[in-house]
Amino acid sequence: MFGLGYNYRAHSNEVGKPVPDVPVLFMKPSTSVIGPEESIVYPDGAENVHFEGELTVVIAKRARHVPESQSLDYVLGYTCGNDISDRVVQRRESAFGCLLAGKGYDTFAPIGPAIVTGLDPANLQIITRVNGEVKQNGATADLLFSVPYLISYLSRYMTLLPGDMIMTGTPAGVGPIKVGDTIEVEIPGIGVLRNTVVAEDRSILAR
């Protein structure tokens, strides 16, 4: 699971970051991935956890040194994603030039509800709701680095494999979540990814 930071100019502006001139990449572990209607676990002791609705690209076949003009030939389809982020941990890491733990908790990468083919990734709406209230309403037309560019760029440095996913970045409007909230990420043509936030129960881990 690859993630993109600051891939919408409006999001960079809202968090006070400069607009990047290269893709700002990070990775989320496979253990962070959950499906629709599964629970996002709010970590015990966390102070400021945010939602980030995103278009997510699913890779179909091995890709290495792929020209941008051929990038979409390597896409299986598209789905909704939610790049859940612990802002306190993220900012501490970022101060030293890294980004992993704040994005990588278990359950911090909901995706779904389906992988849909035949869509134009340059012309999709992204809507995020918290408890039914619209918080984000953006469009992939505003991506700083397009889906074809991202695939080509990543494949320049590493081999992409079937099932790899790219969360393409979040529009403006990110904000906090709390235990009990229901988060919905909707992309028309794909569907609605819905997850509820629950408190972490560490006693389960001790059994």
Side-chain angles (χ1 to χ4, degrees):
M1 173 73 77
F2 298 94
L4 267 291
Y6 315 116
N7 203 24
Y8 286 83
R9 189 179 302 272
H11 177 54
S12 295
N13 292 339
E14 77 174 341
V15 297
K17 295 289 186 179
V19 175
D21 56 9
V22 295
V24 178
L25 291 158
F26 57 91
M27 296 181 74
K28 293 170 82 87
S30 60
T31 47
S32 68
V33 177
I34 59 172
E37 306 297 342
E38 292 191 87
S39 296
I40 298 165
V41 177
Y42 199 102
D44 184 33
E47 300 172 6
N48 188 22
V49 177
H50 280 203
F51 62 83
E52 295 188 13
E54 313 197 3
L55 173 69
T56 300
V57 182
V58 184
I59 298 298
K61 56 186 178 181
R62 186 181 183 277
R64 179 73 164 137
H65 295 298
V66 175
E68 186 175 346
S69 61
Q70 298 174 19
S71 289
L72 296 186
D73 295 340
Y74 292 80
V75 173
L76 175 65
Y78 306 92
T79 191
C80 304
N82 192 349
D83 175 23
I84 305 296
S85 306
D86 182 325
R87 295 300 190 208
V88 174
V89 176
Q90 177 185 341
R91 286 166 184 157
R92 287 173 178 163
E93 291 182 297
S94 295
F96 294 94
C98 64
L99 189 57
L100 178 63
K103 298 277 193 177
Y105 287 97
D106 290 0
T107 77
F108 267 31
I111 60 165
I115 299 170
V116 178
T117 60
L119 299 178
D120 178 2
N123 189 31
L124 296 172
Q125 185 181 18
I126 302 171
I127 305 159
T128 306
R129 291 181 289 266
V130 179
N131 302 323
E133 180 181 354
V134 174
K135 298 293 187 178
Q136 293 181 290
N137 192 347
T140 57
D142 296 324
L143 281 169
L144 191 60
F145 300 104
S146 70
V147 169
Y149 181 87
L150 291 172
I151 294 169
S152 179
Y153 182 85
L154 277 163
S155 75
R156 187 187 314 167
Y157 299 101
M158 63 202 73
T159 301
L160 301 177
L161 298 174
D164 283 352
M165 291 176 280
I166 306 169
M167 284 184 164
T168 56
T170 196
V174 300
I177 60 175
K178 63 183 186 301
V179 172
D181 283 347
T182 297
I183 320 300
E184 294 177 322
V185 179
E186 179 177 5
I187 300 178
I190 296 177
V192 178
L193 168 65
R194 182 181 299 105
N195 302 91
T196 299
V197 184
V198 301
E200 183 177 25
D201 182 0
R202 292 194 178 181
S203 66
I204 296 175
L205 302 177
R207 293 173 189 169

